[in-house]
């Protein structure tokens, strides 16, 4: 633990406003950067396009889970009431599917909600309690009123000099190198 | 001007604050010292909670014979309270999900608050059927879990539907609320001065860093949750109403029940949000965030749903006469003029007559009036469920007519459930941001990334001036 070898994790640049951040994102995208992110206290509409990001696949994931949950729940009730332990209740058919709608619906909704929440967390790599950016003092304001562009060192276009120059030329008020242990 | 531009133009937060002002104002409530008022209220709430724990403990020991339930009224206060509390929850989901889908941006000031109310109300609601089953330690039998008898639950029973619907409702509301909280928990983490707060808020913030790569998935998850909560909230109270509607008893066996229950639920929920928010607004000085505009819109919601509920009362009476069924007509005459006439007329007065005040802007924008009306609506909606359930003590044969009167334990559990609700609510207000900071910032004019792009700016400048 005492040997702390630091490596460069990336670069962080502060911007003044949502509009400035959006223009910066467009410039970064056009300059060919792919492993960068724009941090803001609230979601900014149009940022996905400005950064050149694709649509989140979450809707597809939830759709598949919802379909499986609906068929699974129906199949479960069918098996329980007609195969495993058939019971005649108020003279209705064993598989009285109309009466199974509320339970099938509730199970579908529950599974979809779980898929939406946990799918979102997995896609976002959360929980991840440590992130190199948290080493930066100024980055704490990202959840208050700060707007930042971060460029990861893994980005093929990342370079200490040119990246810094680019960030400053597109209007960053303050840039810093982020180091991780 | 396009519709979108008009929506963005509206100034929702008074005083034209900066982003940091919002953070400061809302976080400070959580970070400052515990106030005397809070301690006093918390003490009172916990005292009531102890009454609940004591009476539920005695109930589990002795059995539900300690309540006033009997034959013919197998359902008493427990189911009245269950329906009452589930209904309260519905406004929270309406505000957080349905108004979100309709892009009603004014909802941001009240949605966190209302969602928290939903969760706590549903906890109170779940308590009642759980203890009413008598042997609460066998509650898992409502779920299709393999057991030594090899039998499965009856999926045709509305009581089972209830377990699934309300259980799902609770889980979804909790997830929706937590997802909304993540960015705000990160704010509290980044502001935390001492280590315990840092660790606790940091853990629950899950490492949120506000990058757009996170927001992208986050926003879609929020939209999906809103989308699936919308049919869910409409289904939950519909399913609760089938507890009654699928029976063959006069006054219950009607197709109007699902929409009538849902309207009533939203009505009572808005009233409860109003009661709570008026107090919080005053105590924590949130007048700039929860403006008169917000309150007025909520009052309009109450007026509309009051009319829907009133219309349902009328329709029920009409059908009772029009059906030509003597038992049905008797059930309704018995409601209005039978031994529980006072409950019926309390319901009519509080739910239909009193909210008519909101036709007038003078009353709609008067804090004292709306506070009193919101409490009366809650009383009225509790009595609505009382009327529906307990006027059935006189059904088909006069020889089997009975009478229901609650015992002291019924009252203890009712009062105690308010203790549970307020204890949870006060803890929420003390330790979590009661207004969504990230969402409030998003509706400020300067959050628009096209703020400096010509026409839009003129529109915003005009609005702020």
């Amino acid at each position: 633990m005492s040997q702390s070898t630091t490596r460069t994790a990336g670069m962080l640049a502060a911007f003044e406003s949502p509009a400035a951040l959006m223009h910066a994102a467009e410039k970064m995208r056009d300059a060919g950067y792919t492993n960068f992110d724009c941090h803001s206290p609230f979601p900014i509409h149009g940022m996905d396009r400005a950064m050149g990001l694709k649509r989140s696949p979450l809707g597809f994931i939830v759709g598949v889970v919802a379909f499986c949950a609906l068929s699974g729940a129906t199949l479960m009730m069918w098996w329980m009431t007609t195969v495993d332990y058939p019971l005649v209740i108020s003279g209705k058919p064993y598989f009285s599917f109309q009466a199974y709608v509320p339970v099938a619906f509730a199970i579908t909704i529950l599974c979809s909600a779980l898929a939406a929440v946990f799918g979102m967390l997995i896609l976002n790599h959360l929980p991840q309690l440590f992130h190199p950016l948290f080493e930066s003092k100024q980055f704490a304001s990202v959840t208050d009123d700060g707007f930042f562009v971060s460029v990861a060192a893994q980005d093929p276009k990342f370079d200490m000099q040119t990246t810094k120059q680019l960030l400053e030329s597109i209007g960053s008020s303050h840039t810093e190198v982020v180091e991780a242990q | 001007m396009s519709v979108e531009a008009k929506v963005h133009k509206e100034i929702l937060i008074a005083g034209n604050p900066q982003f940091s002002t919002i953070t400061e104002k809302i976080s400070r409530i959580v970070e400052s010292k515990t106030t005397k008022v809070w301690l006093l209220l918390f003490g009172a709430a916990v005292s009531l909670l102890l009454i609940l724990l004591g009476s539920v403990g005695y109930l589990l020991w002795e059995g539900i014979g300690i309540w006033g339930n009997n034959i013919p009224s197998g359902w008493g206060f427990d189911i009245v309270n269950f329906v009452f509390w589930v209904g309260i929850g519905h406004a929270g989901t309406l505000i957080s999900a349905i108004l979100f889908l309709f892009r009603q941006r004014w909802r941001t000031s009240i949605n966190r608050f209302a969602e928290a109310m939903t969760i706590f109300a549903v906890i109170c609601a779940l308590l009642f059927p759980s203890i009413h089953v008598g042997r609460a330690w066998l509650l898992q039998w409502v779920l299709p879990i393999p057991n030594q008898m090899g039998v499965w639950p009856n999926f045709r029973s509305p009581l089972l539907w209830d377990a699934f619907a309300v259980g799902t409702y609770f889980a979804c509301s909790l997830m929706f609320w937590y997802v909304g909280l993540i960015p705000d928990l990160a704010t509290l983490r980044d502001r935390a001065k001492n280590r315990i707060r840092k660790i606790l808020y940091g853990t629950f913030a899950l490492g949120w860093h506000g990058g757009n790569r996170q927001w992208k998935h986050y926003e879609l998850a929020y939209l999906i949750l809103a989308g699936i909560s919308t049919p869910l909230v409409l289904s939950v109270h519909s399913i609760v109403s089938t507890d009654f509607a699928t029976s063959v008893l006069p006054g219950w066996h009607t197709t109007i029940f699902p929409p009538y229950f849902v309207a009533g639920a939203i009505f009572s929920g808005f009233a409860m949000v109003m009661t709570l928010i008026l107090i919080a607004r005053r105590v924590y000085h949130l007048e700039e965030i929860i403006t008169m505009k917000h309150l007025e819109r909520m009052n309009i919601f109450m007026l509309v749903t009051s009319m829907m509920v009133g219309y349902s009362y009328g329709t029920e009476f009409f059908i009772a006469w029009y059906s030509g069924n003597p038992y049905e007509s008797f059930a309704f005459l018995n409601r209005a003029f039978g031994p529980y006439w006072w409950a019926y007329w309390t319901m009519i007065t509080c739910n239909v007559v009193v909210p008519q005040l909101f036709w007038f802007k003078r009353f709609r924008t008067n804090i004292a009036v709306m506070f009193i009306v919101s409490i009366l609506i809650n009383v009225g909606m509790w009595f609505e469920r009382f009327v529906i359930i307990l006027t059935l003590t006189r059904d088909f044969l006069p020889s089997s007519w009975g009478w229901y009167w609650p015992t002291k334990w019924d009252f203890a559990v009712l009062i105690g459930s308010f203790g549970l609700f307020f204890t949870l609510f006060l803890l929420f207000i003390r330790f979590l941001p009661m207004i969504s900071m990230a969402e409030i910032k998003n509706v400020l004019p300067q959050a628009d990334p096209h703020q400096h792009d010509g026409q839009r700016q003129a529109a915003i400048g005009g609005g702020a001036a």
Side-chain angles (χ1 to χ4, degrees):
Chain A
M1 286 296 280
S2 57
Q3 294 174 319
S4 60
T5 48
T6 58
R7 61 177 176 85
T8 307
M11 199 170 281
L12 184 69
F15 288 86
E16 291 299 325
S17 66
L21 190 68
M22 186 109 133
H23 293 306
E26 286 164 355
K27 296 271 168 51
M28 294 294 291
R29 175 196 65 192
D30 295 343
Y33 285 88
T34 48
N35 201 342
F36 72 102
D37 207 348
C38 296
H39 306 263
S40 53
F42 49 83
I44 298 172
H45 283 278
M47 190 54 103
D48 290 354
R49 201 183 313 156
M51 283 175 68
L53 298 182
K54 279 188 293 203
R55 200 179 149 80
S56 168
L58 193 62
F60 180 73
I61 297 170
V62 173
V64 170
V65 170
F67 178 76
C68 293
L70 184 62
S71 12
T74 313
L75 206 64
M76 176 190 81
M77 287 185 278
W78 167 80
W79 179 77
M80 286 174 179
T81 55
T82 62
V83 180
D84 191 51
Y85 201 131
L87 276 175
V88 178
I89 292 167
S90 50
K92 292 186 188 108
Y94 289 136
F95 185 61
S96 28
F97 65 93
Q98 299 91 336
Y100 299 166
V101 168
V103 171
F105 174 76
I107 292 175
T108 308
I109 295 285
L110 181 64
C111 294
S112 313
L114 287 168
V117 173
F118 287 95
M120 182 273 282
L121 292 179
I122 291 165
L123 289 171
N124 279 341
H125 307 292
L126 296 175
Q128 180 194 19
L129 297 187
F130 176 75
H131 193 281
L133 288 171
F134 294 152
E135 292 286 322
S136 160
K137 284 270 181 295
Q138 60 164 348
F139 190 67
S141 71
V142 73
T143 53
D144 177 11
D145 61 351
F147 300 91
F148 299 92
V149 169
S150 71
V151 188
Q154 289 90 334
D155 193 304
K157 295 217 50 160
F158 183 81
D159 178 83
M160 285 295 221
Q161 294 302 319
T162 53
T163 305
K164 189 175 163 69
Q165 276 166 6
L166 173 67
L167 287 168
E168 277 166 0
S169 74
I170 58 180
S172 169
S173 53
H174 184 85
T175 59
E176 66 172 294
V177 175
V178 181
E179 293 188 330
Q181 288 185 350
Chain B
M1 196 189 292
S2 71
V3 173
E4 199 198 347
K6 259 187 190 157
V7 168
H8 282 277
K9 184 189 157 200
E10 189 181 24
I11 300 298
L12 294 166
I13 309 299
N16 200 14
Q18 300 294 310
F19 294 133
S20 54
T21 323
I22 299 289
T23 316
E24 178 63 25
K25 202 171 172 76
I26 296 165
S27 306
R28 207 173 45 209
I29 299 170
V30 180
E31 290 161 351
S32 57
K33 273 200 168 145
T34 308
T35 56
K36 276 213 179 80
V37 181
W38 186 88
L39 273 178
L40 213 67
L41 289 172
F42 189 67
V46 170
S47 314
L48 294 181
L49 177 61
L50 289 175
I51 295 180
L52 178 75
L53 294 179
S55 48
V56 169
Y58 182 59
L59 177 92
L60 292 179
W61 175 257
E62 193 68 25
I64 53 169
I66 65 169
W67 284 344
N69 302 24
N70 55 35
I71 300 297
S73 57
W75 286 356
F77 260 34
D78 43 354
I79 303 300
V80 174
N81 297 340
F82 164 68
V83 182
F84 172 74
W85 280 117
V86 181
I88 296 280
H90 278 51
T93 319
L94 180 104
I95 292 168
S96 60
I98 300 183
L99 296 186
F100 177 78
L101 294 182
F102 282 104
R103 296 284 183 266
Q104 295 293 307
R105 288 154 58 97
W106 59 274
R107 87 187 237 297
T108 52
S109 292
I110 51 172
N111 74 324
R112 169 74 46 75
F113 204 82
E115 284 166 31
M117 182 198 73
T118 296
I119 292 166
F120 307 144
V122 175
I123 290 174
C124 292
L126 280 170
L127 172 78
F128 286 97
S130 309
I131 56 178
H132 186 209
V133 295
R135 287 187 281 171
W137 50 93
L138 294 177
L139 200 60
Q140 75 277 10
W141 282 356
V142 301
L143 297 174
I145 295 171
N147 54 61
Q148 72 275 26
M149 299 166 289
V151 74
W152 300 106
N154 175 17
F155 294 108
R156 300 172 189 86
S157 162
L159 298 179
L160 183 95
W161 301 348
D162 253 6
F164 275 88
V166 182
T168 299
Y169 185 44
F170 174 69
C172 288
S173 306
L174 189 66
M175 285 191 274
F176 201 12
W177 185 63
Y178 180 65
V179 166
L181 266 170
I182 292 173
D184 282 4
L185 289 169
T187 302
L188 292 174
R189 169 199 68 198
D190 291 342
R191 288 170 58 94
K193 295 281 187 289
N194 73 51
R195 205 171 156 70
I196 299 170
R197 294 180 78 91
K198 244 193 177 84
I199 290 174
L200 280 176
Y201 287 122
T203 308
F204 285 104
L206 305 175
W208 181 259
H209 59 62
N212 189 56
R213 287 172 200 273
Q214 287 188 337
W215 281 120
K216 181 179 82 165
H217 300 302
Y218 176 93
E219 281 207 284
L220 189 59
Y222 201 83
L223 180 66
I224 291 171
L225 284 174
I228 58 180
S229 298
T230 299
L232 177 65
V233 69
L234 299 178
S235 80
V236 170
H237 226 57
S238 302
I239 289 175
V240 168
S241 79
T242 60
D243 291 350
F244 307 97
T246 56
S247 69
V248 284
L249 291 167
W252 284 11
H253 187 66
T254 55
T255 47
I256 198 180
F257 262 31
Y260 159 36
F261 268 51
V262 171
I266 291 165
F267 180 49
S268 66
F270 262 96
M272 188 59 119
V273 177
M274 187 59 106
T275 312
L276 296 171
I277 223 158
L278 286 175
I279 300 171
R281 181 178 183 264
R282 177 77 179 269
V283 172
Y284 294 105
H285 309 291
L286 297 171
E287 287 87 351
E288 287 177 352
I289 293 172
I290 303 161
T291 61
M292 190 53 83
K293 204 183 277 179
H294 296 105
L295 300 178
E296 198 185 342
R297 283 182 193 177
M298 287 165 69
N299 287 333
I300 294 173
F301 253 100
M302 280 189 251
L303 177 62
V304 172
T305 43
S306 156
M307 306 285 280
M308 287 161 77
V309 169
Y311 176 71
S312 304
Y313 297 156
T315 308
E316 277 190 316
F317 255 86
F318 171 73
I319 293 295
W321 165 76
Y322 189 66
S323 67
N325 180 330
Y327 297 108
E328 189 80 9
S329 347
F330 175 77
F332 282 90
L333 287 177
N334 184 45
R335 277 187 189 177
F337 306 109
Y340 294 108
W341 62 270
W342 42 271
Y344 184 83
W345 294 106
T346 309
M347 167 187 104
I348 293 286
T349 313
C350 294
N351 293 350
V352 186
V353 179
V354 171
Q356 303 305 322
L357 283 176
F358 290 151
W359 282 106
F360 306 99
K361 198 173 173 82
R362 237 182 86 199
F363 296 119
R364 216 156 59 209
T365 53
N366 183 317
I367 302 280
V369 170
M370 59 179 106
F371 186 70
I372 294 167
V373 171
S374 72
I375 288 176
L376 286 178
I377 290 173
N378 273 311
V379 172
M381 283 308 292
W382 188 87
F383 272 102
E384 180 196 297
R385 281 66 180 249
F386 183 89
V387 165
I388 291 173
I389 292 169
L390 293 167
T391 51
L392 259 191
T393 43
R394 292 184 171 185
D395 52 10
F396 304 98
L397 285 175
S399 60
S400 61
W401 284 4
W403 170 248
Y404 171 88
W405 195 248
T407 64
K408 64 183 177 213
W409 297 105
D410 282 300
F411 285 110
V413 180
L414 170 62
I415 293 166
S417 68
F418 278 92
L420 175 62
F421 180 77
F422 283 110
T423 304
L424 292 169
F425 209 88
L426 285 162
L427 286 172
F428 156 70
I429 282 184
R430 186 72 198 86
F431 296 107
L432 292 170
M434 69 172 116
I435 288 168
S436 175
M437 293 182 266
E439 288 193 37
I440 290 282
K441 288 173 196 166
N442 209 353
V443 300
L444 294 178
Q446 64 265 38
D448 184 358
H450 304 293
Q451 194 192 357
H452 300 293
D453 302 355
Q455 190 199 359
R456 180 73 60 74
Q457 195 209 6
I460 290 164

